[in-house]
Amino acid sequence: MLLAEAFPAHLDINRLVLLDHGLLHSADLNGPESLHPPLPIRAGELGVKRQHIEDGLQVMIRAGLAEMFAENSGIEFRASEAAESFLRLLETDYAHALHDRAQWVVEELGAIDDDHLRDRMREVSSHWPEEFEFMQVESGADF
C-alpha cells in the first residue's frame, strides 16, 4: 500500500522499512491511532521488518504488482500500474485502515529527505527503553 500511495515515486528498502513502521505505529508520530499495539520492544520489530519487506517485495514483483529499479543511489521499488486495481479488491476493515494510514504516512513523511526521516524515527525510538522499564516496574519482572 505504501508503494501504491507513493506512486509514481520510487522508494528504497530503508525508506520502506521506516515508512512501514510509521504505517503501523502512526500514533508514535503524532498521527492517527496506531493499527498495532505499542509493544515496548519495538526496536526488535524494526530488526525483523526489513527481511519481511524484502520477501514481500519479491512476491509483489513476481505477481506484477511492483517493479524494481537500479538507481545511482541503489535499488529502488515502485508500485506497478496493476497495484492500484489489486488494492481496490481488498475490502476488509483492516485493509481500509491500512489504506488510510498509508495515505497519512506518505503525506507526512514521504517527501522528507532520508536524514530528517531517520531523525523523526530516532525521536520515537528514544522513548522505547523508558516504556520497557515502565513495564518491568508494572509487572514486577526482572528481565
Side-chain angles (χ1 to χ4, degrees):
M1 287 203 185
L2 287 170
L3 289 175
E5 194 58 42
F7 185 84
H10 306 182
L11 302 174
D12 68 17
I13 190 71
N14 293 328
R15 183 167 286 262
L16 279 169
V17 168
L18 294 174
L19 291 180
D20 186 72
H21 182 81
L23 174 86
L24 299 176
H25 299 286
S26 49
D28 288 354
L29 299 164
N30 300 319
E33 179 183 355
S34 294
L35 292 175
H36 288 193
L39 299 175
I41 312 174
R42 289 188 289 261
E45 183 180 326
L46 278 175
V48 298
K49 185 179 294 273
R50 183 183 178 95
Q51 185 62 50
H52 292 302
I53 289 175
E54 286 178 354
D55 293 345
L57 285 166
Q58 293 304 318
V59 171
M60 291 174 58
I61 290 168
R62 283 194 301 268
L65 299 173
E67 300 167 341
M68 182 170 57
F69 299 89
E71 298 287 337
N72 290 336
S73 59
I75 304 296
E76 296 190 356
F77 302 90
R78 175 177 82 184
S80 73
E81 298 284 340
E84 186 66 31
S85 300
F86 173 76
L87 291 174
R88 275 190 248 125
L89 297 173
L90 305 176
E91 297 180 343
T92 65
D93 290 342
Y94 187 77
H96 289 286
L98 273 175
H99 178 72
D100 292 345
R101 298 315 187 282
Q103 284 181 316
W104 176 83
V105 80
V106 168
E107 285 176 17
E108 182 75 14
L109 303 172
I112 65 175
D113 64 44
D114 289 344
D115 291 337
H116 286 101
L117 180 61
R118 285 190 185 93
D119 287 344
R120 291 283 312 269
M121 298 307 291
R122 198 172 294 121
E123 272 177 40
V124 170
S125 65
S126 69
H127 301 287
W128 295 344
E130 296 163 12
E131 293 175 10
F132 183 68
E133 289 171 11
F134 177 76
M135 280 194 55
Q136 284 181 305
V137 170
E138 287 286 311
S139 70
D142 186 25
F143 296 104

